[in-house]
Amino acid sequence: MTLTIGPLSAEPGRKTRGTVPVDLGPTTVDIPLVLVNGSRPGPRVVLTGGIHGGEFVGTDAAARLGGLLEPDDVTGQVVICPVANPPAVYDGRLGKSPLDGVNINRVFPGDKDGEPTERLAAWLFENVINGADAYADLHSGGIDETLLDFVGYRLASNEKLDAKTRAMAHAVGYERVLIGRNAQGGNSHAAAARQGIPAILIETGQLGGREPSQTRTLLDGLYRLLHHLGVVDAPQHVAPVTVQPREWVWTGSVVSPATGLWYPDATTGDEVTEGQSIGRVIDPADGSEHKVTATATGQILYGMNGLTVVLGAELAAIAQPHD
Ligand SMILES: [Zn+2]
């Protein structure tokens, strides 16, 4: 079956690379896509990177995979979008789009008549994500965030779907698998789950890092995922899993009580106890201090490294093993 997205198409046994112009109202963006239509029919797998700017490992790995995968290696179809949100990726290297200040990963499945970022989400959801048999969205800690690598997925109150998604999350081969209790919210993988698509989030890398070893590890994980889905069969390309994935749940999120300067006492990787002080936010004008305490017990999986924070900014996300 021909694989078509906008003006791009790939016949079975062909690979097509190019960009698709998407009209966002005040501006048009070019979305880069690699369509690999396998020599044999099978599932369609969609990968997105660059939903957020400043998260380089996922974009790097997606672009490299797009270069490496050839139709003869593929059973089914692989759609790779290494830069899903060009304004945020290229202009600000931030989570929010410079076009309208919107975090696209809060507004999926988008609104085609909405603000520019909502329109982009709607285009991506309708044209790239929808129709996937499996979907993986690649993220990192932002340029001001520390992060321990993990794979995330949402429970969708559908036993069959949840089992498929869980198996995908484990197949990637990262040590931590984070379960979200429901599929609510505007994250692309949550919106996909609500649509019945097995969808995972992979978070790897931090602080604007772009270490080749992390990209290599992520590429290994993506090959394991494609192998698990029956899309890539050459086992010589698939590195064995070296860690036993373990399921975790989020226990709390800590947000800044004020706009000011953040001085953490506990950082990513630290074990904290509910109520424990984890730092303070100082008002640079009068020197007044807001204490910040852990809202839950567990390990900080990602945290704010930036000195300057706005009221409500996420300072730490806390999780615990599920068992
Ligand atoms: Zn992200």
Side-chain angles (χ1 to χ4, degrees):
M1 203 172 77
T2 305
L3 172 55
T4 302
I5 296 182
L8 298 179
S9 70
E11 297 297 323
R14 310 292 294 195
K15 172 173 169 177
T16 298
R17 308 181 69 156
T19 57
V20 178
V22 178
D23 176 10
L24 302 185
T27 187
T28 296
V29 293
D30 290 316
I31 305 296
L33 285 167
V34 183
L35 312 182
V36 187
N37 200 348
S39 305
R40 299 162 298 278
R44 179 185 294 184
V45 181
V46 172
L47 303 173
T48 52
I51 286 278
H52 290 141
E55 303 184 2
F56 301 133
V57 178
T59 290
D60 187 20
R64 285 172 192 270
L65 186 67
L68 288 167
L69 274 187
E70 293 299 335
D72 283 348
D73 307 328
V74 169
T75 298
Q77 301 176 331
V78 183
V79 175
I80 300 172
C81 180
V83 178
N85 187 1
V89 165
Y90 288 118
D91 296 345
R93 302 197 191 99
L94 294 172
K96 289 179 178 175
S97 174
L99 295 178
D100 50 17
V102 172
N103 177 347
I104 196 171
N105 221 22
R106 301 292 176 268
V107 301
F108 279 96
D111 175 359
K112 64 179 172 42
D113 302 313
E115 296 299 309
T117 298
E118 293 172 320
R119 286 195 190 203
L120 177 56
W123 186 87
L124 289 165
F125 197 77
E126 195 179 314
N127 295 277
V128 180
I129 299 167
N130 214 352
D133 297 300
Y135 170 52
D137 186 29
L138 312 178
H139 289 253
S140 306
I143 51 177
D144 55 5
E145 269 179 336
T146 50
L147 177 129
L148 300 179
D149 295 351
F150 67 88
V151 177
Y153 76 95
R154 302 293 195 86
L155 296 174
S157 307
N158 173 335
E159 229 170 88
K160 228 172 137 187
L161 175 63
D162 291 345
K164 264 192 197 169
T165 311
R166 177 176 189 272
M168 278 172 59
H170 283 246
V172 178
Y174 281 76
E175 194 180 332
R176 293 179 182 78
V177 173
L178 265 291
I179 314 170
R181 290 185 177 88
N182 62 59
Q184 289 162 14
N187 303 69
S188 66
H189 71 293
R194 293 198 294 275
Q195 198 79 357
I197 300 169
I200 61 171
L201 165 83
I202 306 176
E203 291 268 3
T204 171
Q206 59 174 0
L207 297 172
R210 47 173 301 178
E211 285 75 19
S213 63
Q214 281 193 310
T215 299
R216 185 66 249 172
T217 301
L218 178 53
L219 267 175
D220 285 347
L222 294 176
Y223 272 107
R224 282 192 289 260
L225 177 64
L226 291 173
H227 184 63
H228 165 79
L229 293 166
V231 171
V232 168
D233 61 0
Q236 68 270 25
H237 296 313
V238 179
V241 175
T242 54
V243 293
Q244 187 56 47
R246 187 175 186 192
E247 300 217 314
W248 290 58
V249 286
W250 298 110
T251 52
S253 169
V254 180
V255 299
S256 183
T259 295
L261 310 183
W262 164 233
Y263 293 94
D265 298 326
T267 59
T268 295
D270 288 346
E271 303 278 350
V272 297
T273 306
E274 185 176 351
Q276 170 191 334
S277 167
I278 61 167
R280 60 223 147 85
V281 174
I282 306 284
D283 183 328
D286 62 13
S288 64
E289 181 178 312
H290 299 263
K291 282 199 188 319
V292 177
T293 54
T295 53
T297 296
Q299 186 177 32
I300 300 179
L301 287 202
Y302 61 86
M304 174 57 65
N305 183 66
L307 173 69
T308 51
V309 294
V310 73
L311 170 70
E314 194 166 25
L315 300 176
I318 304 168
Q320 267 188 345
H322 188 40
D323 32 82

